[in-house]
Amino acid sequence: MNGEPLVLIAETWQRELAKGFRDPGELLVYLGLADDVRDQTHQAAAAFPLRVPRYFADLMRHGDPADPLLRQILPVAEELVSVPGYVADPVGDLGVSIGGGLLQKYAGRALLVTTGACAVHCRYCFRRHYPYGTDAAIRHRWKAPLEVLSGRPDIVEVILSGGDPLSLSDENLRALINGLEGLPHLRRLRIHSRLPIVLPARMTRDLIEMLSRSRLVVSLVVHVNHPREVTLRLGEALAPLRREGIVMLNQSVLLAGVNDDPQVLAKLSERLFDVGVLPYYLHQLDPVAGAAHFQVDDDRARALYESLRARLPGYLVPRLVADRPGSAAKVPL
Ligand SMILES: *Cc1c(COP(=O)(O)O)cnc(C)c1O
Ligand code: SF4
């Protein structure tokens, strides 16, 4: 993963990030689980390394090998099994580049791959094989994506994605956001991030000020899969954004052994709402190589969704969607 130069580790969150777990054996010992990391786990970790901040590891249940938070991040042997239909680029990212690190699939909005770095490595990530090295746009003060966007007045919303855009420093984000604000046709800025969830300390005062003072209409789409990820600490970290009126949404991925249970999904929506976040999407897993063991088939996904509708007010039911390459939008199931 190609992060930023390490010379700027000044902020608390950056120090916390640097201290995160990167070794599966060390994490298992920390969680009171036998260190039975076999060769295959090491192989899985070699292909896509383990990475998790201590804050998030502390939300896992001690001594529970089936913990739903642990399952999201622990490299396992099943990842090495090749399953037909599970490929490196399941959502067709590579065919929709418009240059400068920008991907466009849908009308009016484009997604900027800002960096390959993430605070946590999610085993089901659909970009786990993405060739960030060739497309990350961070270099030269964002000149390349800004040039592309200045010639595209039809694009009114930019989505910062990655990797995780909030793994960039505030300084680097400010340069990018300033540049985007200078494009007169641009109206909305959306940030897709899992960082507030796995490292709430990332929500610095500088960042919050930057977002709330922008001339663009800013929204934050977080990524939470399980209700235990929604903590008091997260609520505190998001409260200033809520006060500033920044719209906060959540997207989850439907994951076997993590959240494929209507009670878990209902509790997730309710806890999110408690901290000012509305459910947006519940994604059917993208068939990315190495993640087949997380798959919930479409019929079960629909049944779970119906059961969720029967439990919650409509505004707490996320849209169940799949990303099908070539479609004009995410496809409802
Ligand atoms: C998912 C996605 C979006 C966002 O879609 P919305 O329906 O607007 O949330 C935008 N661009 C790309 C390339 C995407 O994959
Ligand atoms: S934080 Fe997002 S981009 Fe990073 S590994 Fe997890 S799912 Fe993938």
Side-chain angles (χ1 to χ4, degrees), residues 78-128:
E78 284 136 302
E79 293 176 34
L80 301 167
V81 180
S82 148
V83 178
Y86 286 75
V87 298
D89 178 23
V91 300
D93 270 348
L94 300 183
V96 295
S97 165
I98 56 170
L102 289 152
L103 307 177
Q104 189 186 21
K105 283 188 185 172
Y106 309 138
R109 54 220 196 268
L111 182 152
L112 179 60
V113 177
T114 54
T115 169
C118 291
V120 65
H121 286 173
C122 313
R123 308 316 297 176
Y124 54 84
C125 179
F126 71 95
R127 290 210 184 106
R128 56 180 286 169

Side-chain angles (χ1 to χ4, degrees), residues 155-318:
I155 295 174
V156 297
E157 176 172 11
V158 168
I159 300 167
L160 305 188
S161 180
D164 197 313
L166 295 186
S167 63
L168 299 172
S169 67
D170 287 346
E171 192 202 3
N172 214 325
L173 278 170
R174 187 172 295 111
L176 173 57
I177 293 175
N178 282 346
L180 293 172
E181 284 167 345
L183 301 170
H185 60 272
L186 210 64
R187 289 163 47 191
R188 299 191 296 272
L189 174 69
R190 197 194 317 174
I191 298 178
H192 278 201
S193 177
R194 189 148 161 74
L195 242 148
I197 313 310
V198 299
L199 198 68
R202 173 65 189 97
M203 304 315 284
T204 60
R205 190 184 301 184
D206 270 4
L207 175 65
I208 287 158
E209 270 183 23
M210 198 189 318
L211 301 182
S212 49
R213 285 193 190 152
S214 179
R215 83 155 180 88
L216 301 167
V217 180
V218 178
S219 59
L220 174 66
V221 180
V222 293
H223 175 175
V224 187
N225 297 315
H226 191 277
R228 285 220 322 273
E229 297 170 44
V230 184
T231 61
L232 284 175
R233 180 74 190 84
L234 176 66
E236 282 165 18
L238 297 182
L241 290 174
R242 197 177 176 182
R243 279 197 292 275
E244 293 294 340
I246 288 173
V247 171
M248 295 189 283
L249 303 169
N250 180 58
Q251 50 182 349
S252 308
V253 180
L254 184 57
L255 299 166
V258 174
N259 59 11
D260 56 337
D261 173 331
Q263 249 176 322
V264 169
L265 289 170
K267 196 178 236 182
L268 173 59
S269 279
E270 287 181 323
R271 289 219 182 152
L272 285 167
F273 192 63
D274 288 344
V275 297
V277 178
L278 275 170
Y280 181 36
Y281 282 141
L282 175 60
H283 290 274
Q284 183 57 307
L285 181 81
D286 298 314
V288 65
H293 55 292
F294 285 115
Q295 185 66 50
V296 176
D297 68 48
D298 284 357
D299 285 343
R300 253 199 87 224
R302 284 190 201 95
L304 282 164
Y305 178 75
E306 282 311 311
S307 164
L308 201 56
R309 290 209 316 133
R311 283 163 200 258
L312 292 172
Y315 64 91
L316 290 187
V317 181

Side-chain angles (χ1 to χ4, degrees), residues 42 52 60 142 171:
H42 276 302
V52 64
M60 297 169 188
W142 310 102
E171 192 202 3

